Amino acid sequence: MLVSAKEMLDKAYSENYAVGQFNINNLEWTRAILETAEELKSPVILGVSEGAARYMVGFKTVVKMVEGMVEELNITVPVAIHLDHGTYEGAKKAIEAGFTSVMFDGSSYPIEENVEKTKEIVEIAHSQGISVEAEVGAIGGEEDGVVGSGEIADPKECKMIANLGIDFLAAGIGNIHGVYPENWKGLDFEALENIKTEVGKMPLVLHGGTGIPADMIKRGIELGVSKINVNTECQLEFAKETRKYIEDGLDKVGKGFDPRKLLKPGTEGIKRVVKEKMELFGSVNKA
């Protein structure tokens, strides 16, 4: 059931819900997300940053792991393996390795160069049935060394990128990666409405889904957000549950040090976060 993300996001847009992209970091992460998606009958996008891909040995290792897991866990819901915030070279390598969807993040380039490079990635990816996400207006915070100041995307630039034939667009509307600071001003819905007016019926992507209040998430979906990325929240929950297991001394009871036991509470924590988000995004029973 490995598919591009285009069809699932077009469906989400037309039916007014969002598909979650949950970033994976290892085997436990991947299994937790896939099993939850299957349980809830929700389509799902497995996000892989270039840094996470290096950590998991490489793009090909990630693809083979996901393919094997989908088969052996009998996953029947649509699953996309998506490169998150890919560089120009990274996007080409991910396509070559068998990713079914890629994001080329050209938001740090002048708009002319972003257009040129995005156009080339679209041509390569679409020739192989692979969906493409592009970005305008850098997302705030830091992810794998990519730092954004939380820019508000220019609607006209969004239209220039959308017209290149991309499948979905990430546009900065005040969202950031990581934990939101107490003085965060919230999402700029006026900017989102202006972007939607320019790009028409194109699924929009909300990066930095961790910590955005539920009412803002729902409003974003009403305005055309069809893909929402979650990473930090799963990491925080995994760390919290793993810390508790060790602080409770359970790693010293019997063979509690076995990584299969040590990592289980954190893995269950990821499942809880993914379930909560899928319910909030409205993707349950949409597979």
Side-chain angles (χ1 to χ4, degrees):
M1 292 299 289
L2 291 182
V3 296
S4 91
K6 177 175 170 52
E7 189 176 320
M8 65 171 82
L9 293 185
D10 285 347
K11 183 174 185 286
Y13 182 90
S14 65
E15 296 182 18
N16 212 36
Y17 63 91
V19 177
Q21 173 189 300
F22 301 93
N23 283 47
I24 61 173
N25 296 282
N26 60 21
L27 181 145
E28 281 77 18
W29 239 262
T30 311
R31 181 173 186 171
I33 295 162
L34 287 175
E35 287 184 337
T36 306
E38 183 65 26
E39 178 192 340
L40 299 181
K41 297 301 175 206
S42 169
V44 69
I45 297 168
L46 302 178
V48 185
S49 68
E50 291 190 28
R54 285 191 295 272
Y55 177 76
M56 291 183 280
V57 184
F59 290 137
K60 288 181 181 177
T61 302
V62 173
V63 171
K64 295 298 183 187
M65 176 180 72
V66 174
E67 286 177 342
M69 223 177 271
V70 165
E71 181 182 342
E72 300 200 282
L73 291 174
N74 296 313
I75 303 299
T76 62
V77 300
V79 178
I81 312 178
H82 179 75
L83 176 65
D84 192 23
H85 288 284
T87 60
Y88 176 72
E89 290 301 328
K92 291 199 287 188
K93 288 177 182 174
I95 290 167
E96 192 180 320
F99 274 53
T100 61
S101 185
V102 295
M103 174 188 188
F104 165 61
D105 182 356
S107 62
S108 61
Y109 295 113
I111 186 62
E112 295 79 13
E113 192 171 355
N114 191 358
V115 165
E116 185 183 326
K117 285 182 160 60
T118 299
K119 187 177 180 183
E120 187 174 339
I121 295 298
V122 167
E123 288 173 1
I124 296 168
H126 282 185
S127 70
Q128 299 179 49
I130 296 165
S131 54
V132 178
E133 173 183 348
E135 181 171 325
V136 179
I139 308 301
E142 178 179 345
E143 184 163 46
D144 275 347
V146 178
V147 180
S149 56
E151 299 168 15
I152 304 299
D154 181 327
K156 299 296 183 188
E157 291 185 357
C158 288
K159 184 174 176 60
M160 287 172 70
I161 296 291
N163 286 347
L164 299 174
I166 63 169
D167 300 291
F168 33 105
L169 176 71
I173 54 169
N175 43 321
I176 67 171
H177 292 125
V179 179
Y180 284 80
E182 288 183 13
N183 63 351
W184 180 57
K185 295 177 182 177
L187 299 178
D188 187 334
F189 290 114
E190 185 181 347
L192 181 55
E193 288 189 58
N194 292 336
I195 291 164
K196 188 175 189 295
T197 299
E198 290 292 338
V199 304
K201 295 182 178 181
M202 171 162 289
L204 299 174
V205 182
L206 186 62
H207 284 247
T210 294
I212 297 177
D215 60 332
M216 286 191 184
I217 292 285
K218 289 177 179 176
R219 181 66 180 137
I221 293 171
E222 287 173 6
L223 292 172
V225 169
S226 307
K227 173 176 177 278
I228 302 175
N229 296 8
V230 179
N231 185 17
T232 302
E233 203 159 338
C234 290
Q235 292 181 343
L236 290 170
E237 190 68 17
F238 184 85
K240 184 187 83 173
E241 293 298 332
T242 305
R243 185 187 311 113
K244 185 177 185 300
Y245 181 89
I246 293 171
E247 286 178 348
D248 289 347
L250 296 175
D251 58 316
K252 296 180 179 177
V253 177
K255 288 192 174 181
F257 54 81
D258 185 321
R260 288 170 289 183
K261 295 180 179 179
L262 178 66
L263 300 177
K264 187 174 181 181
T267 304
E268 292 300 318
I270 293 169
K271 287 184 174 182
R272 285 194 297 274
V273 171
V274 173
K275 184 174 190 289
E276 178 186 305
K277 297 301 179 189
M278 286 178 168
E279 289 171 347
L280 173 62
F281 301 164
S283 67
V284 175
N285 292 323
K286 296 292 186 179

